[in-house]
Amino acid sequence: MHNLLHTEENAVDRLSQLGIQLPVLRESVWQGYLARSRTTANHPSISRGIIMWAETVAVLREQLRPEGWRKSDKGNYELTVNDENALAIVVTTGDDATGMVGPTPSNKCPKGINTAEAIEANNQLDMFSELLQAIEENQGLTTWVLLMHLAANEVRCELSLPSSISNGKINGWKERIVLPSMPLDDDSVQIDLPDLPDIEVPIKKKA
């Protein structure tokens, strides 16, 4: 399906329109990868993907919270939500086409009813754009997917807006924002974080 594709500087501009900084997304995925890399052969094999996903979600929420975003886990559907702009981000593992300009990516594992309903809501918001304000007041959200893929020598990711799904696999995108890949064999990789407020952690002495 034909979609809008944003890469390089164009991606930065589009993210800014959504109120998101590129380093926030890259750092979230990178920290997810680092958490996964700390697992050992003694970890259950299934846990590695879960750990990467969970850490990415957590870091994304921590970074976006000062910008007015909040967590939502209604129905165990883990979202990061910006109520003011009626936006939501869901994190998932993507297939080999994730972060690639040519092929059409999809989610690696089939998704359920929550994702299907989110995509249906995306389409309804697009069809009735003239009623956008009324829809937003009814808590309608446009849900973007942060796809991430761990390849042999790099981590690729993109923030994209799904338009269709079949048998749990997303097969169409309205818009794709492809982010720069993060090589795994280059020690010079550096991700600059935006300035964030200090978080005070209370320390209690043991009784």
Side-chain angles (χ1 to χ4, degrees):
M1 179 179 292
H2 180 71
N3 54 70
L4 291 174
L5 181 65
H6 306 281
T7 59
E8 299 181 357
E9 291 183 4
N10 191 23
V12 174
D13 292 340
R14 182 64 181 114
L15 288 172
S16 296
Q17 293 173 2
L18 298 174
I20 304 168
Q21 298 179 57
L22 174 61
V24 166
L25 299 180
R26 297 190 75 206
E27 177 68 8
S28 299
V29 175
W30 186 249
Q31 289 300 324
Y33 162 72
L34 292 179
R36 182 189 190 280
S37 69
R38 287 191 287 268
T39 62
T40 70
N42 291 320
H43 283 79
S45 57
I46 192 175
S47 70
R48 293 174 181 170
I50 295 174
I51 288 171
M52 182 171 178
W53 167 81
E55 186 67 11
T56 299
V57 172
V59 175
L60 180 68
R61 286 171 170 171
E62 287 295 331
Q63 292 186 92
L64 288 178
R65 184 174 57 178
E67 305 300 324
W69 296 68
R70 64 174 176 85
K71 64 170 287 186
S72 172
D73 54 8
K74 184 178 180 180
N76 293 323
Y77 193 48
E78 299 290 343
L79 296 174
T80 305
V81 175
N82 185 307
D83 294 300
E84 182 178 354
N85 296 327
L87 296 176
I89 299 174
V90 61
V91 176
T92 191
T93 303
D95 62 11
D96 292 345
T98 298
M100 305 288 284
V101 172
T104 299
S106 184
N107 44 298
K108 186 175 181 180
C109 300
K111 296 300 178 183
I113 186 65
N114 286 323
T115 298
E117 289 180 347
I119 293 174
E120 182 180 359
N122 287 349
N123 293 331
Q124 289 176 349
L125 286 167
D126 188 52
M127 289 173 60
F128 302 103
S129 58
E130 69 277 7
L131 300 177
L132 185 60
Q133 182 176 357
I135 293 172
E136 288 178 355
E137 288 175 355
N138 290 324
Q139 298 182 345
L141 295 172
T142 298
T143 303
W144 291 73
V145 179
L146 179 57
L147 285 172
M148 55 185 184
H149 177 74
L150 176 59
N153 60 353
E154 64 181 357
V155 180
R156 298 195 301 271
C157 53
E158 62 182 77
L159 184 69
S160 297
L161 184 63
S163 60
S164 59
I165 187 170
S166 178
N167 297 322
K169 289 297 190 76
I170 299 171
N171 55 14
W173 304 90
K174 294 181 181 181
E175 194 171 348
R176 294 178 60 205
I177 306 174
V178 176
L179 311 182
S181 66
M182 294 171 278
L184 301 180
D185 56 352
D186 186 353
D187 293 335
S188 66
V189 173
Q190 179 177 342
I191 302 175
D192 296 322
L193 279 173
D195 293 332
L196 297 176
D198 293 333
I199 300 175
E200 296 183 2
V201 179
I203 300 176
K204 296 181 179 180
K205 295 182 179 180
K206 292 184 179 180

